[in-house]
Structures are given as structure tokens and as C-alpha cells.
Amino acid sequence: NTVPLSKITRSTVEHTELVQMLAKVHAHLLLDLDGPTPILLHNHQNTQYVGSIKVGTPPQNMVSIFDTGSGTFWVPSKACKAEGCRERAPFDNTKSSTFAEDPHKDRFSIKYGSGAVRGKVVIDDIQVGGLDLKQARIGVVTSEQGGAFVDAAFSGLVGMAFPQLARAGMTPVFDQMMDAKLMKHNRFTFFMSQSEQAKSGIWFDQVPKSLFKGELHKHPVKDQRYWSVNLLDIKVGGKSTGVCPKGCLAAVDSGTSLLTAPTNIAKTVLSHINGLGSLSMLEGGASQLECVKMSTAPRITFVVEAESSDGAKYSVDYDLNPSEYMLVEGQDCGRPGLSALDVPPPNGPVAILGDMFMSKFTSVFDRDNKAVYIARADQSSNKDILFSDKETDALLEQASQVDVDDWTEISSVVTSDVPDHDLFREIEIN
């Protein structure tokens, strides 16, 4: 029998990445090394990027958002009766031989930009990025509030912010990976595709060069809760809006679909975008332009303070063109993907650069250097060769319509032995 062969043409960068990946696999086989592997993310309509994390023994796959805007890892419990908890199979502790109740009986309640959850802390094994994390304290949600959970592409949330945002004595998953001391560099990289058909993912330790173009700019973290950098200005059509005369905090947040800013900043920027639209107020105080002609809309620019290798400060302009920040609503008619969100102290005020920003700019979150490194994403290179495990592809596929989300943590309450009905009352924000 004859088997036809065909030659696959790869660029120099793709060939180098393939050789590096094969060399790493070869070293693992020879030396029996264990290290983190990339997490495949599935792009749902450019609004949610979800991946798999495994909980319990035997492992149960939990499709989750990996969220740099919060610090707590939680999954829906089988005891949760909310509609959103039933969208995907919840975590069933009765099927895990390594499950244990938390001896402290800690409970938690967290309010996000798109909803709220409450639940309790439990102990079980988790698997993430090819690593086994034993007897981790994790959250199981017993109640959900908010329509964003219904028809969502995910069931759990993996907080990847700093430990200050972790609740009820839980440790962020990435901190547990750091504790395993299997990474040379304690950092992770998000690449978000701009096409649902293309691969997205999270890489730990190494930063594949095929994920970005040009130079990675270092932006020191200004507040170790979110991954917050120093926003110097927001330009519209190349002109300053003057919204941050003394600098503002801006969080690079994988858990928020679009862009947000404190109300005073959002109103000013939106009023500069185009005089053809009328400014309106939405429920909850979010402001937006009703309709802007995309053919004449200006670009917007986030001016972020950066730091060179010798410690010198400089500014970097990150441009978004109309097609990159507008939500199409008709022929040549769009709405800016910027809304008002007032995060109260101590976590705020803070602007949020969500998936709309991160899909254009690859972001490296570096705990060793307490910085976010940002460069233009390379959307054209082949990412398939960077993934060796296709197991979760079918698991992540879902065709349902997905709404835009904001999983930035706004406030939280941690309690012990507090009745469920009291938890949300304590964190209401009027």
C-alpha cells in the first residue's frame, strides 16, 4: 500500500518553537521532570475565554474562566440549585476520594461586576497546567446571583490575581504552582485569539516568541491586588482627554470582556469619541454612546507608564481602532465597548483593560518582577504546535450565545458559620 505524504511549510519562528517544544518533551522523558504545560483556552465569540481545570480524585473537568481580576478559585457545588449551576455538570464531592470538609468551616461571599456567589471552603486535589496540587483549599458555590451565569460558557472561576484578593484563607492557584517550585520564572502569559477558530491559551514560565510581535514593555504593578498598572492618559483620536493628570490604576483583567472605567472617566472618554452619538445612562450608572458611525469613529489610546531595564520611566501608547473597541449594532453603526464601573476602595477606583484589550496585546503576568509585560499579539502564527494535549477541545466547544461579562471582584465577605441568607446583605453596594 502507498501512503501519500505532504510537506508542511512552517515559518522560521514556528520551526524554532516546534524544536524547542520537542526538546522540552524529550528532556522530560529522559529526566522524569514535571513542569507546567499550557492551558488551552476556547474563544467564545471574543467575549469569554475558557479552559479546563480538574478537581478531585478521579478528576472532574471543570470548564472555567481564568481570571486575573480576582483571587479565589471556586466551582459550582452539586448542592447549588441556581439555574446557572446546572448549565454544566457541577462538582460532585461524593465522587472524590480525596475530598474533605474544611475544619474551619469558612464561608465566603463575593460580588463581581456581572453577578455574585456565595459558598463554603472545602479541601481537595486539583490539577492545572499539568501539575497536581494536593489538598488545596477551594471554594464550592452553593448559590449564584445574576443572569450572567445562565447560558454561560463556563462553570467555575480560577482567580489569578494577587493573594490579597483570595478569600477565606484560600491561596490563588498560581501561588500554589509557585510553591511547587517547578518554574524557573514565576510568570504566566495570556494569548487571546481574535477568531473563534484559532487557538488561545495560557503559558507558564516560558514565553513563546510566536505569541507576540516586537518588544515586550515592562509595566510595574502599582497595587498588589489586581494586576494594576499606571494609566497616564486615554487619548481619543490622538488627543488627550486629561482624565488621569496624576495617573490612574488600570487592571489588565482576563475576566472582563470589554473595557470599564470609573464613571467620571468613562463619561469624559465617551463624550470625546464622537459627537454624532448621544450620551445616555444605562441601568446601574453605566454610560455609553447610543450609536457611532464606525467609518468616522476615532481610535482610542491607552497611555501606560513603562520601565526600562535601567529603571527609567517612559510611556507606551496602546491603540485600539474602531473595529477593535466598537460593538457592531448595524450597518456602519457601533457602540463603544466602554462602560462605567465604580469599584469602591480599597480595591478601587480602577479602570479595567479586559479581553477587548488583551486580544490585541499579549500580556505576561510576572510575579517575580511584580510587573505586566505587554506587546502586540501575533495573531497570524500557528499556535497548534504549542499544544500537545487535545483532550479538552470537545469539552470546551459550545455554540450558545454568550453575553459580555465582568468578573472583576468588587467586594467580598468572609464568614464562619453565618446563615446563608445573611451573606449578600452584608455586601450590597448601592
Side-chain angles (χ1 to χ4, degrees):
N1 294 331
T2 301
V3 179
L5 301 177
S6 60
K7 182 179 180 180
I8 299 176
T9 303
R10 294 189 176 95
S11 68
T12 301
V13 172
E14 290 171 343
H15 181 75
T16 301
E17 294 285 0
L18 179 59
V19 171
Q20 290 175 344
M21 183 186 73
L22 291 175
K24 195 170 184 179
V25 171
H26 186 61
H28 281 216
L29 291 174
L30 289 178
L31 301 177
D32 194 26
L33 296 177
D34 288 320
T37 58
I39 295 175
L40 175 66
L41 299 180
H42 188 72
N43 176 352
H44 286 269
Q45 302 159 21
N46 297 327
T47 60
Q48 289 180 1
Y49 294 78
V50 299
S52 176
I53 188 169
K54 298 176 181 179
V55 182
T57 306
Q60 300 175 40
N61 270 310
M62 308 303 297
V63 176
S64 303
I65 288 180
F66 290 77
D67 177 20
T68 60
S70 63
T72 303
F73 169 44
W74 57 259
V75 293
S77 165
K78 188 178 179 181
C80 179
K81 303 303 181 185
E83 184 178 356
C85 289
R86 300 300 175 185
E87 289 296 314
R88 290 181 177 271
F91 172 62
D92 187 350
N93 65 277
T94 64
K95 295 182 179 180
S96 174
S97 62
T98 48
F99 173 86
E101 295 286 355
D102 174 38
H104 304 290
K105 298 183 179 179
D106 286 332
R107 302 183 68 83
F108 62 92
S109 184
I110 305 174
K111 183 169 184 176
Y112 301 99
S114 284
V117 298
R118 60 186 177 191
K120 66 177 184 177
V121 179
V122 300
I123 297 171
D124 211 334
D125 295 351
I126 59 178
Q127 296 178 21
V128 59
L131 299 181
D132 294 325
L133 305 176
K134 302 295 185 182
Q135 294 297 280
R137 286 168 56 84
I138 64 175
V140 291
V141 165
T142 56
S143 179
E144 295 177 344
Q145 265 191 0
F149 294 107
V150 181
D151 294 326
F154 70 98
S155 55
L157 198 74
V158 183
M160 302 185 75
F162 284 82
Q164 287 87 330
L165 287 184
R167 304 305 167 198
M170 288 181 275
T171 301
V173 167
F174 187 68
D175 284 75
Q176 296 181 57
M177 296 175 69
M178 290 169 57
D179 292 341
K181 300 186 184 303
L182 295 173
M183 293 179 286
K184 182 178 179 181
H185 307 284
N186 292 314
R187 63 192 180 192
F188 56 92
T189 303
F190 267 86
F191 173 84
M192 295 182 170
S193 69
Q194 293 178 328
S195 164
E196 291 188 70
Q197 288 71 44
K199 300 293 185 186
S200 301
I202 306 170
W203 282 260
F204 300 98
D205 195 351
Q206 302 301 321
V207 183
K209 291 183 179 178
S210 61
L211 300 183
F212 64 93
K213 299 177 179 179
E215 179 185 357
L216 280 165
H217 296 280
K218 177 184 178 181
H219 303 285
V221 170
K222 306 300 291 185
D223 180 79
Q224 293 181 29
R225 291 182 175 86
Y226 305 120
W227 289 91
S228 298
V229 297
N230 191 17
L231 180 65
L232 301 176
D233 195 7
I234 301 177
K235 298 178 183 178
V236 176
K239 297 180 179 179
S240 171
T241 59
V243 292
C244 294
K246 297 182 180 180
C248 304
L249 290 179
V252 185
D253 180 5
S254 60
T256 296
S257 300
L258 307 180
L259 310 166
T260 77
T263 298
N264 61 320
I265 294 178
K267 282 185 176 181
T268 300
V269 173
L270 289 170
S271 68
H272 281 75
I273 284 180
N274 201 311
L276 297 179
S278 60
L279 194 64
S280 62
M281 295 302 295
L282 300 180
E283 182 181 356
S287 57
Q288 66 173 26
L289 292 175
E290 292 179 344
C291 179
V292 176
K293 290 187 67 176
M294 294 186 66
S295 58
T296 58
R299 73 180 185 278
I300 61 174
T301 305
F302 294 93
V303 184
V304 183
E305 182 180 71
E307 182 179 276
S308 63
S309 58
D310 61 3
K313 305 292 185 183
Y314 64 100
S315 63
V316 182
D317 286 4
Y318 293 107
D319 295 333
L320 293 179
N321 296 317
S323 61
E324 295 165 334
Y325 75 87
M326 301 279 276
L327 303 174
V328 179
E329 296 199 333
Q331 186 173 1
D332 197 31
C333 178
R335 175 169 59 85
L338 170 66
S339 61
L341 178 66
D342 293 305
V343 180
N347 294 341
V350 61
I352 296 173
L353 307 178
D355 299 347
M356 187 170 272
F357 178 89
M358 292 178 66
S359 63
K360 183 169 183 178
F361 300 103
T362 294
S363 302
V364 182
F365 299 83
D366 192 321
R367 283 289 296 275
D368 291 336
N369 294 307
K370 304 294 190 293
V372 183
Y373 293 78
I374 300 175
R376 178 70 182 266
D378 187 349
Q379 296 286 347
S380 61
S381 66
N382 180 14
K383 308 301 185 297
D384 288 352
I385 62 175
L386 300 180
F387 294 99
S388 58
D389 180 9
K390 308 300 182 184
E391 174 188 352
T392 58
D393 259 340
L395 177 71
L396 301 179
E397 294 287 348
Q398 181 169 308
S400 62
Q401 183 69 30
V402 177
D403 293 330
V404 296
D405 285 333
D406 179 3
W407 299 108
T408 304
E409 182 170 322
I410 295 176
S411 65
S412 67
V413 170
V414 179
T415 61
S416 294
D417 295 327
V418 175
D420 281 354
H421 65 269
D422 289 337
L423 291 172
F424 276 111
R425 189 175 304 138
E426 298 181 54
I427 65 165
E428 287 179 353
I429 298 175
N430 297 320

